[in-house]
Amino acid sequence: MSDRFSPSRPARPRWSYARAQQRLAPYLFTSPFFILFLVFSLFPLGFSLFLAFHLWNPLDGLGNWRFVGWENFALALGARDQFWVALKNTVWIGLLSGVPQHLVALPLAFVIHQFLRRWQTGVSTVLFLPYITNAVAITIVFGMLYSENLGLLNYLLAQLGLGPVRWLAVPELVPYSVGAVVFWRYVGWNVILYLSGLQAISEDVYEAATVDGASAWQKFWFITLPLLRPMMFYAFTLTIVGNMQLFEEPFIMVGQGGGSGGAGLTSAMHIFNTAFRDLDMGYASAMSWLLFLAIFALSMVNNYLFSRDGGREP
């Protein structure tokens, strides 16, 4: 007798619609995420990497590209292109806006958490408003403030007997003018991040420090800062990633070319101009990957500095 007819062999369950529905339901419910991730994340990444090694004008149509190897990367890293100038502008504006953000946001969050708890919700809402306000509106308002003839800043300077300042026309002042807008927009966001980190610190620690006679400064320096290190790492990482991709504020304030002397030209603007003005998608893709490597390197440096041993031990 064949084994198929052996009474000890368990009977194969019959197919049923209910059982198939039960097995397939998890895949069907999660499939939209994977489909969207594949279409809008993985495919653009792969296509961008493919284009980085090709010369392609989108007006020529799909398939009409020419393999050029590392030529696009060599061109970006060479001295003839503006990639290094744009990267230098990006880092400089990022430092001018990012460092003051945290120097202001961290003590301000500590003061709100310690002394303004009754009004914490209202104060947090006011500080968070610039972050959720449209970037175009913010930039237009600051553009009016910076106006040479009608701006509020030059009006105040005139009351002090000082001459008008061309905030967006002098190349040396453009990074400061753009950095001020970025600082104003994101300082509230960092305050909210630090407030959430402060709320996670047990009150028992502060009460014990108060019993020991610690001052507000000693609580901030010896309790708040060490325990906030994970949140500081997170906030610094977001600032690095965001500032290295700076686009909206300088693009609207100083124009597509970066304004006078190209002082406001950031890496993201240069990539945008190369892709959609010059229609050189391959070169723009190569610069995008170089910018990604720069962001990755800075993030690793940030991770090293905020590691538990502070990078002092091997």
Side-chain angles (χ1 to χ4, degrees):
M1 178 181 292
S2 173
D3 292 341
R4 295 191 298 128
F5 301 100
S6 173
S8 60
R9 186 183 179 89
R12 191 172 183 176
R14 298 181 58 186
W15 183 89
S16 67
Y17 175 75
R19 186 178 292 109
Q21 189 179 35
Q22 185 177 12
R23 288 185 176 183
L24 293 177
Y27 300 101
L28 291 176
F29 282 122
T30 57
S31 61
F33 166 76
F34 290 104
I35 293 174
L36 293 175
F37 181 72
L38 177 66
V39 173
F40 293 106
S41 295
L42 284 184
F43 174 73
L45 278 175
F47 191 54
S48 172
L49 185 61
F50 172 81
L51 288 180
F53 295 95
H54 291 78
L55 180 65
W56 183 53
N57 185 330
L59 296 181
D60 296 335
L62 287 174
N64 294 320
W65 40 61
R66 180 166 60 87
F67 180 75
V68 294
W70 295 94
E71 183 180 318
N72 289 328
F73 293 93
L75 180 62
L77 297 175
R80 297 174 53 188
D81 191 74
Q82 289 185 302
F83 176 77
W84 287 113
V85 175
L87 187 61
K88 178 185 174 184
N89 292 339
T90 305
V91 173
W92 181 228
I93 296 174
L95 287 174
L96 290 175
S97 61
V99 173
Q101 280 179 39
H102 296 275
L103 291 179
V104 172
L106 185 53
L108 184 58
F110 180 75
V111 170
I112 295 173
H113 181 69
Q114 288 291 321
F115 306 109
L116 300 174
R117 293 193 179 186
R118 178 181 297 181
W119 300 281
Q120 181 171 322
T121 302
V123 174
S124 301
T125 302
V126 172
L127 292 172
F128 197 66
L129 280 178
Y131 178 75
I132 59 176
T133 304
N134 186 276
V136 176
I138 293 174
T139 308
I140 291 176
V141 170
F142 270 86
M144 296 172 63
L145 292 176
Y146 289 143
S147 174
E148 182 178 353
N149 299 319
L150 304 175
L152 178 62
L153 294 178
N154 280 337
Y155 172 78
L156 296 176
L157 289 176
Q159 301 305 310
L160 299 175
L162 301 176
V165 177
R166 304 175 67 191
W167 300 100
L168 298 177
V170 179
E172 291 77 13
L173 293 179
V174 169
Y176 293 93
S177 302
V178 176
V181 179
V182 179
F183 165 81
W184 184 81
R185 189 182 183 197
Y186 292 100
V187 66
W189 162 255
N190 286 297
V191 170
I192 300 301
L193 287 181
Y194 288 132
L195 274 175
S196 63
L198 287 169
Q199 291 171 354
I201 299 176
S202 173
E203 289 297 325
D204 296 340
V205 181
Y206 288 107
E207 292 176 1
T210 303
V211 172
D212 292 338
S215 64
W217 168 253
Q218 290 173 322
K219 293 178 186 177
F220 175 75
W221 187 258
F222 295 107
I223 297 176
T224 304
L225 279 183
L227 295 181
L228 265 184
R229 188 162 60 176
M231 183 55 74
M232 291 170 65
F233 166 73
Y234 177 67
F236 272 64
T237 302
L238 290 182
T239 299
I240 291 172
V241 174
N243 285 355
M244 290 297 289
Q245 300 180 74
L246 189 62
F247 180 82
E248 296 170 319
E249 291 84 358
F251 188 86
I252 299 172
M253 293 183 71
V254 295
Q256 192 173 9
S260 178
L265 182 68
T266 63
S267 298
M269 290 170 61
H270 185 43
I271 293 171
F272 176 85
N273 292 337
T274 304
F276 299 103
R277 185 189 64 188
D278 304 335
L279 298 178
D280 192 346
M281 290 294 177
Y283 183 38
S285 298
M287 288 192 292
S288 300
W289 281 96
L290 290 175
L291 180 61
F292 163 75
L293 292 177
I295 295 174
F296 179 77
L298 290 175
S299 300
M300 289 298 101
V301 171
N302 184 47
N303 180 51
Y304 177 78
L305 295 176
F306 277 93
S307 59
R308 179 161 293 278
D309 58 6
R312 293 186 292 272
E313 297 179 5

